[in-house]
Amino acid sequence: MPDYVENVARQANFVRLALNSLGFRDPMESSRYRAVKYIDISVKDLGAYNGLAYDEHSVYPNVPIKTNDCALLIDIARHFANFPATTTPIVGHEVPHLLEQLHHV
């Protein structure tokens, strides 16, 4: 799955840069999320959901690989028939939700 994980990261970064080029504010450069160091995308079982973008940032104090940094969270479902290929549009759909959260305090 390493290629898939890298693909998800590339998709998220592409959507973020595309939105920035269209004039949308990068959530990681906003005052609301000034403590955020990265966007943490998890692929997991989500029941009926295809993806979720959370409006609050989080810290993982007991996970050494995450270096105790603050992160924005996105979850991507893996329940599709042709997983991982079918999750491609989900990443592009969830990243803009982080921008929406900037306006809902």
Side-chain angles (χ1 to χ4, degrees):
M1 290 299 249
D3 291 340
Y4 173 68
V5 172
E6 183 178 347
N7 187 17
V8 167
R10 286 178 189 231
Q11 290 174 52
N13 193 50
F14 175 81
V15 171
R16 197 173 131 226
L17 293 174
L19 291 169
N20 290 349
S21 72
L22 292 171
F24 291 95
R25 184 172 30 157
D26 190 317
M28 294 177 44
E29 294 175 5
S30 71
S31 60
R32 179 173 184 191
Y33 296 128
R34 67 179 148 256
V36 170
K37 301 291 186 207
Y38 60 92
I39 298 171
D40 186 4
I41 301 175
S42 299
V43 179
K44 56 179 145 182
D45 293 323
L46 293 177
Y49 294 100
N50 293 331
L52 298 166
Y54 299 90
D55 62 341
E56 293 300 325
H57 51 281
S58 188
V59 175
Y60 301 92
N62 298 320
V63 182
I65 196 169
K66 301 203 185 228
T67 63
N68 208 25
D69 286 332
C70 188
L72 287 173
L73 307 177
I74 294 177
D75 290 337
I76 303 297
R78 64 175 182 191
H79 67 270
F80 300 100
N82 294 322
F83 177 83
T86 51
T87 60
T88 299
I90 305 302
V91 176
H93 174 86
E94 293 304 325
V95 171
H97 285 308
L98 298 177
L99 292 171
E100 290 176 333
Q101 305 306 341
L102 292 176
H103 305 289
H104 298 105
V105 179

